[in-house]
């Protein structure tokens, strides 16, 4: 909201209901010598002048009483006091209303616990509706502009496992280094290194994980002043919307692809077993998942979880997991989590895999609702 407010004393010509009441009660000086005309259908004014309620307005459906008012000289103190009160009231009203709107807006977005943290200032996650533009409105949908604005908020995640390494992506959600990524990217990691778009590397620690939603929250050590992404509203996403994906497929940091939203609420099933994750992932980033009753990129095992996902045809490859799915305004609407690979053999190298336009992302509203749990250190 970009409304401007005048300070007390700047309302020379009040407008609207309050201004009408004010002018009706206190005409300008040149008319003070004679009473204001009164509608003959209204009753005569009372002997004692009533107090005018500025909130009632001067056109109250034929029920208002217009008092007869003399000159300023007749009631100098009363007129001065009333003027100060009226002007003070007219300036306080909008400010109070603005504060109330701000509280309601914060409470609406993405979960009660998340909204509470926003209001209490415990974090600086930037959240918006789909009407907020990270890119200028004239550049909405321009892939080059979106990439330039959002790429600094996407990182490469390298996890050292007991049997190799795992490469994925992550999204910066706070300027002091909170990173959202997929749980399967860092599961079983002995150490984690994160590289930002400008090439700077950080050691990361796991704050919390949620295997049921395939989400993890990392914290970079010694980080500050990072560019946090703006989290959008995935409930507003529609089939056919243009989207951009940014991540590190095959370790190629900052790779940008684009496409559309192909479908919504797809049931995607992934493994929750740590041993199965390491065995099937094999350090290649080919994460096994199930969709439509079929297995992709390997066997998911017996311990699995299913979540609703956004389907996209934006090109995703091993290493995109945990990266950003972005709408035409530059807001993050999903965390890329699974992609179909041309190779379903887990023993194949990741270089044999490729995107065929079947990618899936965890809706960002799911991430928002899970943040409080992740920040609390959950390791489910």
């Amino acid at each position: 909201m970009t409304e401007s407010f005048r300070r007390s004393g700047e309302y020379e010509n009040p407008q609207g209901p309050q201004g009408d009441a004010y002018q009706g009660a206190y005409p300008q000086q040149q008319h003070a010598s004679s009473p204001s005309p009164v509608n003959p259908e209204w009753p005569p004014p009372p002997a004692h002048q009533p107090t005018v309620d500025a909130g009632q307005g001067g056109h109250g459906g034929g029920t208002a009483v217009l008092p007869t008012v003399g000159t300023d000289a007749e009631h100098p103190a009363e007129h001065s006091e009333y003027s100060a009160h009226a002007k003070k009231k007219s300036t306080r009203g909008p400010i109070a209303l603005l504060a109330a709107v701000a509280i309601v807006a914060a409470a609406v977005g993405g979960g009660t616990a998340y909204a509470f943290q926003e209001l209490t200032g415990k974090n600086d996650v930037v959240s918006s509706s789909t009407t907020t533009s990270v890119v200028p409105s004239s550049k909405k949908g321009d892939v080059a502009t979106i990439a330039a604005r959002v790429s600094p908020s996407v990182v490469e995640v390298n996890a050292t496992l007991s049997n190799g390494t795992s490469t994925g992506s992550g999204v910066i959600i706070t300027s002091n280094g909170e990173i959202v990524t997929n749980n399967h990217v860092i599961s079983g990691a002995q150490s984690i290194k994160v590289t930002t778009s400008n090439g700077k590397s950080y050691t990361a620690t796991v704050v919390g994980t949620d295997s049921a939603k395939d989400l993890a929250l990392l914290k970079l050590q010694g980080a500050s002043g990072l560019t946090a992404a703006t989290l959008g509203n995935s409930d507003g996403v529609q089939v056919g919307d243009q989207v951009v994906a940014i991540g590190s497929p095959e370790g190629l940091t900052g790779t940008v692809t684009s496409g559309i939203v192909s479908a919504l609420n797809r049931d995607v099933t992934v493994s929750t077993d740590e041993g199965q994750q390491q065995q099937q992932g094999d350090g290649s980033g080919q994460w096994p998942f199930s969709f439509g009753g079929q297995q992709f990129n390997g066997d998911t095992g017996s311990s699995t979880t299913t979540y609703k996902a956004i389907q996209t045809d934006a090109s995703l490859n091993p290493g995109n997991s945990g990266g950003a799915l972005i709408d035409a305004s530059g807001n993050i609407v999903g965390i890329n989590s699974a992609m179909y690979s041309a190779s379903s053999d887990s023993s194949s190298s990741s270089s044999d895999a490729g995107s065929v336009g079947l990618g899936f992302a965890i809706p960002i509203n799911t991430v928002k609702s899970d943040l409080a749990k992740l920040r609390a250190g959950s390791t489910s």
Side-chain angles (χ1 to χ4, degrees):
M1 299 176 68
T2 55
E3 298 181 36
S4 60
F5 300 100
R6 294 175 180 266
R7 294 185 297 273
S8 179
E10 293 182 351
Y11 289 91
E12 297 177 359
N13 297 306
Q15 301 294 326
Q18 291 186 358
D20 292 342
Y22 178 85
Q23 290 177 349
Y26 295 96
Q28 296 182 6
Q29 181 68 27
Q30 61 265 31
H31 300 295
S33 59
S34 61
S36 301
V38 178
N39 191 317
E41 296 181 1
W42 293 343
H48 300 284
Q49 180 177 312
T51 301
V52 177
D53 184 356
Q56 295 291 332
H59 306 284
T63 59
V65 177
L66 297 183
T68 302
V69 182
T71 64
D72 294 349
E74 295 175 5
H75 306 284
E78 294 176 4
H79 188 224
S80 174
E81 181 180 355
Y82 179 85
S83 300
H85 173 73
K87 293 177 180 179
K88 183 177 181 182
K89 184 172 183 179
S90 66
T91 57
R92 290 174 60 187
I95 295 174
L97 176 60
L98 179 61
V101 171
I103 292 174
V104 173
V108 168
T112 303
Y114 175 75
F116 177 77
Q117 290 177 328
E118 284 286 297
L119 293 172
T120 54
K122 292 184 179 180
N123 65 81
D124 55 353
V125 174
V126 181
S127 182
S128 75
S129 69
T130 53
T131 58
T132 299
S133 292
V134 175
V135 299
S137 57
S138 61
K139 294 290 187 178
K140 183 176 180 179
D142 184 79
V143 176
T145 303
I146 294 171
R149 293 295 181 92
V150 184
S151 288
S153 302
V154 182
V155 299
E156 179 178 301
V157 179
N158 290 282
T160 300
L161 311 174
S162 60
N163 62 341
T165 61
S166 173
T167 299
S169 305
V171 177
I172 301 171
I173 63 169
T174 62
S175 60
N176 64 350
E178 282 188 331
I179 308 292
V180 169
T181 187
N182 288 141
N183 178 60
H184 75 254
V185 171
I186 54 85
S187 180
Q190 298 175 339
S191 64
I192 303 172
K193 184 180 75 171
V194 170
T195 305
T196 58
S197 62
N198 61 5
K200 188 171 182 178
S201 294
Y202 295 88
T203 297
T205 56
V206 177
V207 177
T209 60
D210 187 346
S211 60
K213 296 179 181 177
D214 196 17
L215 291 172
L217 182 66
L218 310 180
K219 181 67 170 65
L220 306 186
Q221 296 181 7
S224 64
L226 301 180
T227 302
T230 300
L231 308 187
N233 177 14
S234 53
D235 288 343
V237 174
Q238 299 181 24
V239 173
D241 282 353
Q242 182 180 2
V243 287
V244 174
I246 303 179
S248 299
E250 306 290 355
L252 300 174
T253 305
T255 296
V256 178
T257 58
S258 65
I260 63 169
V261 173
S262 303
L264 299 172
N265 299 317
R266 294 296 201 193
D267 287 327
V268 175
T269 302
V270 298
S271 174
T272 59
D273 182 73
E274 181 177 310
Q276 183 74 8
Q277 289 171 6
Q278 294 187 32
Q279 178 185 353
Q280 298 295 341
D282 196 28
S284 67
Q286 285 185 256
W287 185 244
F289 70 98
S290 299
F291 170 70
Q294 295 181 312
Q295 301 281 340
F296 298 97
N297 307 340
D299 182 12
T300 55
S302 58
S303 178
T304 61
T305 184
T306 301
Y307 55 82
K308 299 290 185 180
I310 299 171
Q311 182 182 332
T312 178
D313 70 348
S315 179
L316 301 178
N317 289 283
N320 272 114
S321 291
L325 189 69
I326 310 155
D327 68 12
S329 296
N331 302 306
I332 310 298
V333 293
I335 299 297
N336 299 320
S337 57
M339 72 292 300
Y340 170 74
S341 169
S343 173
S344 60
D345 185 355
S346 63
S347 64
S348 301
S349 76
S350 60
S351 62
D352 295 330
S355 173
V356 293
L358 285 175
F360 302 92
I362 301 169
I364 201 63
N365 284 7
T366 300
V367 178
K368 289 181 182 181
S369 66
D370 211 29
L371 274 179
K373 176 181 177 181
L374 294 173
R375 286 189 169 117
S378 171
T379 56
S380 63

